[in-house]
Amino acid sequence: MLRPQLNPSSSHHHTTTTSSSSSTQLYFASSSCIASLRRPSPPSLIAGAGCRTTRRRQQGRQRVVVRCASSSAASSASEAARRGTGSSDMAPAAVVKVKAVATIKVTVEGLLNSLRPSKAIDNIRDLIGRSLFLELVSSELEAKTGKKKATVHSYAHKVDDDDHGVVTYEADFDVPTGFGPIGAVVVTNELGQEMFLEDLNLTAGDGAGNSTVLPIRCNSWVQPKSSIDEGTPGKRIFFAKAYLPGQTPAGLRSYREEDLKQKRGNGAGQREADDRVYDYDVYNDLGNPDSNGDLARPVLGGSKQFPYPRRCRTGRPPSKKDPKSETRKGNVYVPRDEEFSEVKNAQFLLKTLQSVLHAAVPAAQSALIDNLSLNLPFPSFFVIDKLFEDGVELPGVEKLGFLHSIVPRLLELLRDSPGDKILLFDTPANVQKDKFAWLRDEEFARETLAGINPYAIELVREFPLKSKLDPAVYGPAESAITADLLEEQMRRVMTVEEAISQKRLFMLDFHDLFLPYVHKIRSLKHTTMYGSRTIFFLTDDGTLRLLAIELTRPASPSQPQWRQVFTPSTDTTKSWLWRMAKAHVRAHDAGHHELITHWLRTHCALLRPHFRYTMRINARARSALISAGGIIERSFSPQKYSMELSSVAYDKLWRFDMEALPADLVRRGMAEEDPTAEHGLRLAIEDYPFANDGLLIWDAIKTWVQAYVARFYPDAASVAGDEELQAFWTEVRTKGHGDKKDAPWWPKLDSPESLAHTLTTIVWVAAAHHAAVNFGQYDFGGYFPNREYLGGEQTRPWNSDAAVQAAYAGFTARLKEIEGVIDGRNKDRKLKNRCGAGILPYQLMKPFSDAGVTGMGIPNSTSI
C-alpha cells in the first residue's frame, strides 16, 4: 500500500497528525498586535538583537552553533541599506534576526562524487556561500490581498566539516515584524550532487540575550537543482510542524497541496533513481520472457484470475515477447527516500543474494555430490551434516572472500589454509538443542504453536472434513480420515464428537490451496506435490499429539485419484512412510509460510515509520527472490507456480479485518472472545507461545496508538473531516488493493476507535507479525529436513508534543516489562511448548535484541 507522503518536514513521516499547539514556533508581529497574541497556544516570540553561543553534543559529536545573526538580503529595507540606496535619515523597517543552521550528512557515495571534476565548481560555490539557498515561508497570507507572503531568503554558507561526516551550513535572515509564524523552509540545492539534509534549526533572539530554537527534522535527500527535470520545481519544502489538513494555516495550504501533487506523480514515464514519486502498478515484472520463454510469468493483479495487491511503479518499457509484462532491464525503482541508508545497505547488499545463490549453493552441491545426473542434491543426512560439521571447500576463494562480511549469520569462513578456505554453515539453534528433535512427532506438533509459521494451525470445527473444491474435478469432497481412525490414535479416551465439542482437535489444512496445482507442479522436474490435511489432538498436559496425515493427488486423464492416510506406527515400513508423509507436510508448511504468511501477509500487503525500507526490500525481492528463476522458485516445491499460489491465497484468504491478531486467532478457532479473560480472548490452547506473547505486544501497540490518536482526533467528526486521511484510506482500498476494493469487510475510518484499530493492525503486521515469521527462519529451517526495534530511540515520534512523548515513553516501558514476562515464561517448566530438554525457547516476540541475528527482537518495520 502506497500513500503519497503527507509529511510535516520530510519524506520519513507519512502522517500529518501534530496539532497546531504541539511545538514551538517562531512568530513575528508588529508591536501593535502583541497583546492579541497572548493565548495558551505555542509561545509567541518577538525577537530582537542578541547573541548566544551554544555547544551541543549529539550522538557522540559536538557541534558549535552561534546563536546570533547579522544582516541579510531579506527585507526590502535591509536590501536597500546593503546596496547603499535610500535616504540616510529614513528609519529602517523593524526586523528580527534569525539564524538557520542546516546539518548535511556526507555519505560514502558523496565522498566518491567529490573526486569528480565538477567538484571544483561546488567548492567555489561553498567558498562564496552560494551552495544552499533557503527561504522562510510565512504561515499567514497577506491581509490585504489574500495571497502568499513573499518568502524571506538567504544563501547558507558552510561553517563546519567535522570528522564524523557532518557538514554544517548557516544562513542569516532579517525577518520583518508582521511576517507571522515561520511555517516552513524551502531548500534549493545549488551544488552539483544530491545532499542528505538531516535537520534545520531556526534560532531567534528576544532582545534580552535569550533565544528560541525551532527544530525541523528533515532526514531527506535534496536533489541538485541542475538535475531536476524541466517543468519540475527544483525546490524542496520542509514544514516546521505537522497539521491536520483542516488546521493547516492559510499561508501553507498551497505549498502542502503542491508537495502532495509532486509525490503522487501522473502515472506516466519511467521513474528515475532520484525521483520522489509514489504511484502504483501490478506485478508485471516477475517474469523475463525476453531472456527465456521458460521465464515467462503471468501478471499478478488487475484480473479475476490472478488478483493481487499493487506494487510501487517503475514504468520500464514493455517486454517484446509479452507486452503485458515489464522488461527487466534497468533497476527496480523506489522513491529516493525509501532507499536503504548506507548502514542498512552494507548489511544487505544485492550481492548477498547473488553470492549465496550463484556461489555458495552451487559450490556446496558440486563439492558434495559426485554424480549430479542422479538429481539428488543431498543423497543422505550425512551429507547435510557435513555442511555444519566439516564445511565445504570453496573454489576460487579469492573471489568469494566477501561472503564472510556479507552473510555473517549463514556463512562463516572459519578455516584458513594456504590454498583454500572452508565454507561452514552455522548450526541452527534447534539442531544445537537436539540434533534429532526434527524427527520427533512432538517437535513437529510443537512448532505449529512456537515455530516460524504459527498462523497455519486451526481448530477442527466440523467432522467429517470436507473440501470446498468441485468434486467433479478433484474427487470426493469428504476426507479419507475417519472417526474410527482418529479415535484409535486418541487411544479411545473420547469420541471425535466429544473431542470437537471440547475443542481438542486441530489441523493444518493445505488441501484446497494446493490441490488445484498438484498436476502442474508434478509436471516439473525434481519436485512433487500433494494436497494435505494433518490432524492433532490436544492432550491434558497442554501439548499437541500428531494423529494422522492425509495426502491427496487428484485424478488426471491418465490416472485415477489417489489419497492415503498415514499414522504413527512401530512397523518399520509404515514408520518410514509416516516420516515421508511428515516431510511432505513440512514442505507444504514451508511454502505456505514463505509465500503466504511471510511474503503476502507482511511485505506485499502492508504507517510510517512502520514502512521504513519495506519498498526497497520488496524491490530487491522482485529482482532476485520472487522473480522467475529466483530463490523462491529454486527452493520451494511449487517452483514456477509459487507466486501464482500466493495470488490464489490472496483471493481466498486475505482480508484486512482479519489481519489483526485477535481477529486472526478467532477466525482460526484458536481463541474466542471473552470480556472476562486477559486481552478479551480465551485461547483454545493455553500454552500457545506465539499467541501468549503476541497478545502482550498487540495490547502494548494498541495502547500506544490509542493515546496518539486521542491526542489529535478527539471525536468522530475530526476523523471523518480529515480529507487526507480519508483519501489515504480510499487509496489503500481502491488502488493498493484494487482487486478487493468492493469487499464489504473493509473497516471505515469514522471514529477515533476505528482509526486506532486500523493503525494498530498495520503496525502489528509490519512489526510483530513479520518478526514472528521471519527471524526464526534459520533457527527452525536452517536444517532443511526440518525446514531497529519497536519502541526504540530511532522510532521516537518526531514532534515534541509532551502528551505524545509521555505515551511513547509508557509504550517503551511496557515493552521492557513484556521482555521480562517472556523470559519468565521460557523458564516455566509447566509450559511444555516453550520449555524443556531439547526445546528451543520461544523468543520471536521479545521486543528487543542484542547486535547481530539473534532470533529475537521486533523491528519497527518490515525491512528484511
Side-chain angles (χ1 to χ4, degrees), residues 430-630:
N430 63 340
V431 176
Q432 292 182 34
K433 275 279 187 178
D434 184 346
K435 182 176 180 179
F436 300 103
W438 67 275
L439 279 170
R440 293 188 288 109
D441 291 357
E442 294 83 358
E443 179 63 16
F444 183 103
R446 189 191 73 84
E447 288 185 15
T448 66
L449 304 174
I452 56 172
N453 194 21
Y455 279 93
I457 190 168
E458 58 185 287
L459 181 71
V460 175
R461 284 171 274 202
E462 62 179 12
F463 198 86
L465 306 174
K466 292 183 179 180
S467 170
K468 296 180 181 179
L469 299 175
D470 184 355
V473 177
Y474 299 104
E478 189 169 309
S479 168
I481 299 175
T482 65
D484 184 66
L485 181 145
L486 293 180
E487 289 165 5
E488 180 183 354
Q489 293 300 314
M490 290 188 291
R491 300 165 189 169
R492 307 293 179 184
V493 297
M494 63 180 67
T495 67
V496 167
E497 183 178 1
E498 290 170 335
I500 290 177
S501 67
Q502 295 179 30
K503 298 183 177 177
R504 304 282 290 267
L505 289 181
F506 298 84
M507 72 173 171
L508 296 177
D509 186 358
F510 302 132
H511 184 275
D512 285 11
L513 177 64
F514 288 132
L515 205 63
Y517 277 83
V518 165
H519 289 308
K520 291 181 179 180
I521 294 171
R522 290 171 71 92
S523 69
L524 303 174
K525 294 180 179 180
H526 318 317
T527 189
T528 191
M529 178 59 70
Y530 298 94
S532 69
R533 296 184 179 100
T534 306
I535 308 298
F536 305 87
F537 175 67
L538 179 61
T539 65
D540 291 338
D541 66 0
T543 61
L544 292 176
R545 182 190 304 157
L546 185 53
L547 300 183
I549 294 173
E550 178 186 27
L551 299 180
T552 302
R553 185 194 67 217
S556 70
S558 59
Q559 292 179 311
Q561 182 198 52
W562 177 92
R563 60 180 180 173
Q564 187 168 337
V565 179
F566 300 87
T567 58
S569 176
T570 56
D571 176 83
T572 302
T573 301
K574 290 182 178 179
S575 175
W576 277 106
L577 288 174
W578 171 242
R579 290 174 181 173
M580 291 298 294
K582 287 197 299 180
H584 281 291
V585 175
R586 286 193 180 278
H588 299 167
D589 187 63
H592 180 276
H593 160 259
E594 196 63 58
L595 297 172
I596 299 167
T597 309
H598 185 188
W599 166 255
L600 176 64
R601 294 181 63 181
T602 62
H603 288 264
C604 191
L606 288 172
L607 217 44
R608 283 276 193 165
H610 305 284
F611 277 165
R612 192 177 191 204
Y613 299 142
T614 302
M615 294 178 72
R616 169 42 66 195
I617 201 69
N618 285 2
R620 292 195 171 182
R622 301 205 314 273
S623 296
L625 189 69
I626 63 174
S627 57

Side-chain angles (χ1 to χ4, degrees), residues 551-713:
L551 299 180
T552 302
R553 185 194 67 217
S556 70
S558 59
Q559 292 179 311
Q561 182 198 52
W562 177 92
R563 60 180 180 173
Q564 187 168 337
V565 179
F566 300 87
T567 58
S569 176
T570 56
D571 176 83
T572 302
T573 301
K574 290 182 178 179
S575 175
W576 277 106
L577 288 174
W578 171 242
R579 290 174 181 173
M580 291 298 294
K582 287 197 299 180
H584 281 291
V585 175
R586 286 193 180 278
H588 299 167
D589 187 63
H592 180 276
H593 160 259
E594 196 63 58
L595 297 172
I596 299 167
T597 309
H598 185 188
W599 166 255
L600 176 64
R601 294 181 63 181
T602 62
H603 288 264
C604 191
L606 288 172
L607 217 44
R608 283 276 193 165
H610 305 284
F611 277 165
R612 192 177 191 204
Y613 299 142
T614 302
M615 294 178 72
R616 169 42 66 195
I617 201 69
N618 285 2
R620 292 195 171 182
R622 301 205 314 273
S623 296
L625 189 69
I626 63 174
S627 57
I631 293 176
I632 291 293
E633 291 192 359
R634 295 190 184 202
S635 303
F636 294 93
S637 299
Q639 293 190 2
K640 65 182 291 185
Y641 298 106
S642 294
M643 293 307 292
E644 282 190 34
L645 270 170
S646 72
S647 172
V648 172
Y650 176 71
D651 184 33
K652 295 180 179 297
L653 304 175
W654 191 88
R655 293 176 47 159
F656 180 84
D657 62 329
M658 293 290 107
E659 293 303 297
L661 176 60
D664 172 79
L665 292 170
V666 171
R667 174 173 67 169
R668 292 188 284 121
M670 301 305 293
E672 60 183 24
E673 295 181 358
D674 181 351
T676 67
E678 187 180 11
H679 315 294
L681 293 177
R682 185 169 68 252
L683 294 176
I685 300 177
E686 291 185 8
D687 184 13
Y688 185 0
F690 162 69
N692 299 136
D693 298 354
L695 286 168
L696 293 175
I697 300 297
W698 169 270
D699 278 358
I701 294 172
K702 180 176 71 173
T703 300
W704 151 238
V705 171
Q706 286 175 335
Y708 193 96
V709 169
R711 177 65 184 85
F712 305 111
Y713 294 93

Side-chain angles (χ1 to χ4, degrees), residues 9-13 197-200 216-220 238:
S9 61
S10 78
S11 60
H12 281 279
H13 304 283
L197 180 60
E198 286 192 329
D199 55 51
L200 289 163
I216 304 176
R217 201 166 88 186
C218 304
N219 289 328
S220 184
F238 296 93

Side-chain angles (χ1 to χ4, degrees), residues 408-409 789 849-856:
R409 184 67 173 92
Y789 297 101
S849 171
D850 295 329
V853 181
T854 61
M856 65 182 80

